[in-house]
Amino acid sequence: MAYIILAFALIIGTFADEKGLAVLALQQNTYDEPDNAAQRWLAYRSAVQFYVERHPDFAGALAMSDLGMNDERQFLPDAGNYVSRNTNGTTVITWIPLSASVIADTISLADGDRSIGIAHGMSWSSPLYGNMGSLPISVPEGDIVSVVTFSAPRF
């Protein structure tokens, strides 16, 4: 009797393992990761902001080498940035041309961050919040753009 129970347990265990593996294989086939372009641009944006936090007197444009991102140059060929300073603080602008679906992925990955939108030359807007105002530099129409202003106490 013990052998019958053992055999039955082995059969059920084998069947359960096969079903589990089938479910795991199915999950791997149906999971779509967000586009890497979104993640890379968000990393680029963070690197520019981090640089400005560490160098509060900086103004102008940063090269990829300034950010330690030379290896990313091939993945972010048209990424741009500009840092301007005035009495209100330091404004950090980053942008890159991305497709509409990747822009949506980026905003989703950033949890609807208000600093991310779409450029319209000298202004920008957010799909979630509408017109967000002017830019101190012209950014190509339709590029995803991030505009963050650091005030003096932040430094």
Side-chain angles (χ1 to χ4, degrees):
M1 180 71 166
Y3 290 116
I4 294 173
I5 293 173
L6 179 61
F8 186 66
L10 288 173
I11 291 170
I12 290 176
T14 302
F15 182 73
D17 278 344
E18 288 176 8
K19 287 294 185 188
L21 290 175
V23 169
L24 182 59
L26 179 61
Q27 288 173 347
Q28 288 174 347
N29 289 338
T30 59
Y31 177 72
D32 289 328
E33 239 183 72
D35 194 307
N36 278 337
Q39 294 168 341
R40 287 180 187 196
W41 182 75
L42 288 171
Y44 171 75
R45 170 184 171 248
S46 294
V48 172
Q49 291 173 7
F50 182 75
Y51 184 94
V52 172
E53 284 186 66
R54 295 288 184 210
H55 304 89
D57 294 331
F58 178 81
L62 292 163
M64 291 288 224
S65 58
D66 295 330
L67 305 172
M69 296 183 75
N70 279 334
D71 294 342
E72 297 296 313
R73 186 182 319 263
Q74 64 183 338
F75 302 110
L76 299 165
D78 297 320
N81 67 76
Y82 183 74
V83 180
S84 68
R85 299 175 40 128
N86 60 32
T87 56
N88 296 328
T90 301
T91 301
V92 180
I93 303 165
T94 53
W95 66 88
I96 192 170
L98 296 173
S99 68
S101 63
V102 178
I103 289 174
D105 284 347
T106 305
I107 292 170
S108 176
L109 283 170
D111 292 327
D113 187 333
R114 287 182 181 232
S115 72
I116 298 174
I118 299 168
H120 307 290
M122 295 296 293
S123 66
W124 67 293
S125 64
S126 164
L128 302 174
Y129 307 104
N131 184 359
M132 299 297 282
S134 63
L135 296 170
I137 188 171
S138 181
V139 176
E141 179 74 30
D143 280 12
I144 189 169
V145 65
S146 169
V147 181
V148 176
T149 300
F150 295 113
S151 59
R154 176 85 184 243
F155 297 115

